[in-house]
Amino acid sequence: MEVELPPGTTSPSAIQKAAYRLAPKVSITIIGLSDAKITVEVATKGEFVESEVLSEFREFLTDYTLREKISEKTEGVRTLLLAQAFSSVLNSYKDELHAQEEG
Amino acid sequence: MNYTLKKKGKFKSQGDLNASSSYSTLPFRFERLPGNKVLITNDVGEYAVILTDELTQLVDGTALSPSTFAALQRIHVVSKAGDSSAYSLLSLKLRKRYAHLCEFTSLHMMVVSLRCNQSCPYCQVSRQSEDREKFDMSLETAQASLEHIARSPSKQLKIEFQGGESLLNFELIKEIVGLAKSTIPDDKSLSFVAATNLTFIDDEIIDFFGENSIHFSTSIDGPEDLHNNNRPFYGKNAHQLVTENIRYIQERLGSDKVSALMTTTQRSLNRGREIVDEYVRLGFNGIFLRSLSPYGFAVKTKTYYEYSADEWLDFYKDTLDYILELNRRGHRFEEYFTQLLAERMLNQGGTGYVDLQSPSGCGIMGVVYDYDGKVYTSDEGRMLSQMGDSALQLGHVSDSYNDLFCSEKLYGLLSDSLAQSAPMCSDCAFVPWCGSDPSYHQSTQNDFVGHKAYSGFCRKQMGAFHHLLNIFESRKEDREIIESWIN
């Protein structure tokens, strides 16, 4: 089954993440990518019901798209926080080594 | 980034007074919960629960209600415009969260014998029969192991005697304890524990353990029929022997000198309450509801495949409910798996549980020195090797400390084990509370990282987090009981 996703509502990476999470239930492949739309092919696995799986896919897609928005806003801050958190650990370790050498 | 609503006129509108509209957003993750709610977590595991609509407002940077803003501000997901204190506090908490990594390896497991006198079908270790002494650790191997243990930077060292059945090589245990006290530097604390099936014990063992403060750790799977089915002992009543010996140790050394673990088998699934009652009867103060692991005889005998993660979760939830009921009735009894998770969720505290760390605790929190001198990142790594997969072997005790603990192999494993970088985990709101289990994924998927959508480990963890969140948010008395286990 082919599903068309409107442009600007999601991204290939969000689709891939949703597909990854649903991998036991469904196989999802991006078969078309243009400014007008993204087309994915959806193949349900085993006994799973197609309509339920599609519904789940759309929910995950919404969430992973949201997560990309969050990441875009905050990833730089996260990098700074990690740098601030762990550079001081490195500095403390260097100070300790220096003290040991002098002592 | 700051988001400010345009103001019209001299005075603030009622909406402006009621909403927080100018704020910066810090990193967070989310997971949808039942009932139109959303879990928000920060990178150290502090959390808030907000409504679905409020998630959209947060992502768009639009006005939040004062109560939601306060909840998110408390966990440093939002901060008022111009206020930079959240950044300092969060980086401080991050540093504290990972401070334990500098301690390096504190748990050292020494497999003093691979021999065992029982034949448990779910045994994670590929044990050997009792009479094959070539599966005992030699004194030379023990000495070499102790030299590595002494090199660990950790100030608190624990040596755990493992097997097979560790007491089958009691003579070596005595030697190791004596050598350890002379080898390990005085500025480090040293403790001992022996994993044993307690099917045999005598006064010499008890006296030695008492004099040297060695803790007994044994297994009790439940009432007599369940225990004996799980842990057969060649026509003898294993349960009777073990329980008698537990009582004897408690009388001679004290109740706090012996603890027990259980393993959940298919037969256990609808008997959680009886298992807890047995632990209460034996005088224990708690239980660890432990699922089967995919190693050793548990795989060979297909015992591991007898139930799914969902079936174990049902067992866990029902048994935990029973334990909470006991506590409500005034009998303090803890569940240790819940305690571990609660420590993460409510206190953002580190735990010493090697299997739930990111980066993995393999090699850097615990290490195994096998009877033959091979060194593994974990007990599971040893078990995998016995199944023919040496991916988690670091080397041999004859190697240098640097070759063992500063190897590209260990660095690669640790790098792969960082859940914050793994597919699906990196976006998961539970990741600050969770960890990776590279041994589990190597065993079940032949890959350290594993595809989490297929992972029983992931399914179990997420199920447990959801269940505990529901308790913390909607069952006040039970939340207070669990808080009493961690505070």
Side-chain angles (χ1 to χ4, degrees):
Chain A
M1 173 179 181
E2 287 184 12
V3 175
E4 288 181 1
L5 301 164
T9 58
T10 189
S11 68
S13 55
I15 294 169
Q16 284 168 344
K17 287 186 176 184
Y20 186 94
R21 187 132 178 202
L22 283 167
K25 297 183 180 180
V26 65
S27 171
I28 295 171
T29 314
I30 299 175
I31 58 173
L33 191 60
S34 71
D35 291 339
K37 60 187 175 184
I38 302 176
T39 309
V40 296
E41 188 173 73
V42 177
T44 313
K45 296 178 182 175
E47 304 290 315
F48 293 105
V49 176
E50 189 174 79
S51 58
E52 289 174 8
V53 170
L54 267 178
S55 176
E56 233 180 320
F57 171 58
R58 289 188 189 281
E59 284 173 11
F60 280 134
L61 200 53
T62 301
D63 283 354
Y64 281 111
T65 307
L66 272 177
R67 289 183 177 112
E68 287 191 340
K69 281 182 79 173
I70 295 165
S71 180
E72 205 178 298
K73 282 173 62 169
T74 63
E75 204 55 34
V77 175
R78 175 175 276 137
T79 304
L80 283 172
L81 285 168
L82 290 170
Q84 187 171 341
F86 297 115
S87 64
S88 58
V89 171
L90 184 60
N91 288 339
S92 298
Y93 183 61
K94 283 181 179 172
D95 289 343
E96 198 178 308
L97 274 179
H98 187 62
Q100 282 175 4
E101 282 162 14
E102 296 220 319
Chain B
M1 283 184 204
N2 295 333
Y3 295 86
T4 310
L5 293 180
K6 286 187 179 175
K7 295 175 190 169
K8 296 177 181 174
K10 184 178 175 183
F11 299 105
K12 289 185 180 179
S13 69
Q14 187 64 38
D16 285 344
L17 289 173
N18 289 344
S20 295
S21 55
S22 175
Y23 59 89
S24 303
T25 311
L26 286 86
F28 69 93
R29 295 179 175 89
F30 74 88
E31 176 78 12
R32 295 197 189 266
L33 300 176
N36 197 34
K37 293 180 183 171
V38 179
L39 168 72
I40 305 289
T41 59
N42 67 15
D43 280 353
V44 295
E46 294 168 315
Y47 82 88
V49 176
I50 63 176
L51 298 175
T52 303
D53 290 343
E54 291 171 328
L55 173 65
T56 311
Q57 290 161 4
L58 176 60
V59 174
D60 291 340
T62 54
L64 297 164
S65 70
S67 58
T68 300
F69 185 87
L72 293 173
Q73 189 182 35
R74 257 196 308 278
I75 66 168
H76 318 301
V77 166
V78 298
S79 70
K80 289 182 181 166
D83 180 5
S84 63
S85 62
Y87 301 88
S88 304
L89 283 168
L90 200 44
S91 64
L92 187 66
K93 289 178 182 181
L94 269 170
R95 187 158 64 246
K96 187 180 170 212
R97 175 92 166 76
Y98 292 99
H100 67 280
L101 294 175
C102 297
E103 274 291 300
F104 215 59
T105 326
S106 58
L107 174 62
H108 300 265
M109 290 164 274
M110 297 179 73
V111 182
V112 293
S113 179
L114 202 57
R115 294 181 289 139
C116 190
N117 56 350
Q118 280 194 277
S119 54
C120 310
Y122 63 58
C123 181
Q124 298 167 175
V125 176
S126 297
R127 64 187 178 274
Q128 299 296 325
S129 63
E130 199 172 343
D131 61 353
R132 297 166 75 172
E133 289 198 359
K134 69 177 180 177
F135 294 100
D136 283 359
M137 179 181 274
S138 69
L139 182 60
E140 291 73 26
T141 299
Q143 284 170 323
S145 304
L146 284 170
E147 283 168 19
H148 288 306
I149 295 170
R151 291 282 308 267
S152 172
S154 179
K155 293 293 186 193
Q156 295 180 328
L157 299 173
K158 180 187 281 189
I159 294 177
E160 183 175 299
F161 300 113
Q162 274 282 356
E165 168 49 47
S166 64
L167 291 183
L168 284 173
N169 202 354
F170 176 54
E171 292 306 309
L172 185 66
I173 290 177
K174 287 193 289 186
E175 293 274 6
I176 290 171
V177 171
L179 283 168
K181 290 183 176 179
S182 59
T183 309
I184 306 297
D186 292 336
D187 64 337
K188 296 177 191 283
S189 76
L190 181 59
S191 61
F192 300 96
V193 62
T196 165
N197 59 30
L198 276 187
T199 53
F200 64 96
I201 199 86
D202 57 32
D203 285 329
E204 185 194 353
I205 292 172
I206 292 181
D207 288 342
F208 183 81
F209 273 46
E211 284 157 15
N212 293 280
S213 300
I214 304 172
H215 189 90
F216 288 91
S217 174
T218 191
S219 288
I220 287 281
D221 281 1
E224 184 174 320
D225 67 305
L226 181 56
H227 181 92
N228 287 342
N229 261 316
N230 283 351
R231 303 176 67 82
F233 188 30
Y234 304 125
K236 299 178 190 174
N237 189 332
H239 180 271
Q240 184 182 353
L241 285 167
V242 177
T243 53
E244 283 174 359
N245 287 332
I246 288 172
R247 288 277 191 227
Y248 191 45
I249 294 167
Q250 287 170 333
E251 284 165 21
R252 289 280 320 272
L253 301 179
S255 299
D256 60 332
K257 296 303 183 201
V258 57
S259 60
L261 292 171
M262 60 80 65
T263 300
T264 313
T265 62
Q266 219 281 328
R267 292 187 189 95
S268 317
L269 290 179
N270 60 354
R271 301 184 68 178
R273 294 170 183 237
E274 292 173 61
I275 295 169
V276 170
D277 285 342
E278 182 68 3
Y279 271 65
V280 171
R281 186 183 77 80
L282 290 169
F284 292 118
N285 296 323
I287 191 170
F288 194 122
L289 298 176
R290 192 168 70 153
S291 57
L292 281 167
S293 298
Y295 315 103
F297 282 11
V299 171
K300 281 184 194 170
T301 61
K302 301 195 187 330
T303 311
Y304 174 71
Y305 305 105
E306 286 181 347
Y307 60 80
S308 65
D310 287 343
E311 286 173 306
W312 182 85
L313 277 167
D314 287 340
F315 163 82
Y316 167 69
K317 290 174 190 174
D318 183 65
T319 312
L320 177 61
D321 275 348
Y322 180 61
I323 291 170
L324 291 168
E325 184 189 318
L326 283 178
N327 280 265
R328 285 197 294 276
R329 285 196 250 134
H331 183 108
R332 185 184 170 98
F333 188 85
E334 299 174 12
E335 201 286 304
Y336 298 131
F337 178 60
T338 303
Q339 189 185 58
L340 280 170
L341 300 187
E343 181 65 40
R344 292 281 180 88
M345 296 167 77
L346 300 177
N347 286 350
Q348 297 79 51
T351 67
Y353 190 52
V354 176
D355 295 347
L356 202 67
Q357 304 289 333
S358 174
S360 167
C362 290
I364 60 173
M365 287 183 74
V367 70
V368 172
Y369 308 90
D370 208 353
Y371 74 97
D372 57 3
K374 288 180 184 156
V375 182
Y376 297 96
T377 58
S378 61
D379 215 23
E380 290 75 16
R382 161 172 77 113
M383 296 163 196
L384 274 174
S385 179
Q386 289 165 358
M387 294 161 70
D389 183 349
S390 61
L392 297 173
Q393 181 185 342
L394 290 177
H396 191 271
V397 290
S398 56
D399 296 335
S400 72
Y401 185 85
N402 276 4
D403 284 347
L404 289 174
F405 293 100
C406 302
S407 64
E408 285 303 318
K409 188 173 192 177
L410 184 57
Y411 289 166
L413 169 64
L414 293 174
S415 173
D416 283 347
S417 75
L418 197 60
Q420 286 82 347
S421 315
M424 206 165 126
C425 299
S426 59
D427 291 308
C428 181
F430 299 130
V431 77
W433 303 334
C434 199
S436 63
D437 193 340
S439 311
Y440 176 96
H441 293 104
Q442 180 68 17
S443 176
T444 55
Q445 297 186 31
N446 201 29
D447 178 70
F448 287 148
V449 179
H451 192 310
K452 294 307 190 302
Y454 292 96
S455 166
F457 166 85
C458 177
R459 196 161 182 88
K460 185 182 95 169
Q461 290 302 131
M462 288 183 85
F465 288 132
H466 270 287
H467 184 64
L468 290 179
L469 261 177
N470 180 53
I471 290 177
F472 296 154
E473 294 299 301
S474 61
R475 291 157 57 173
K476 183 170 180 285
E477 191 180 3
D478 288 343
R479 175 179 173 137
E480 287 171 357
I481 290 168
I482 295 173
E483 282 176 332
S484 74
W485 297 349
I486 61 175
N487 293 324

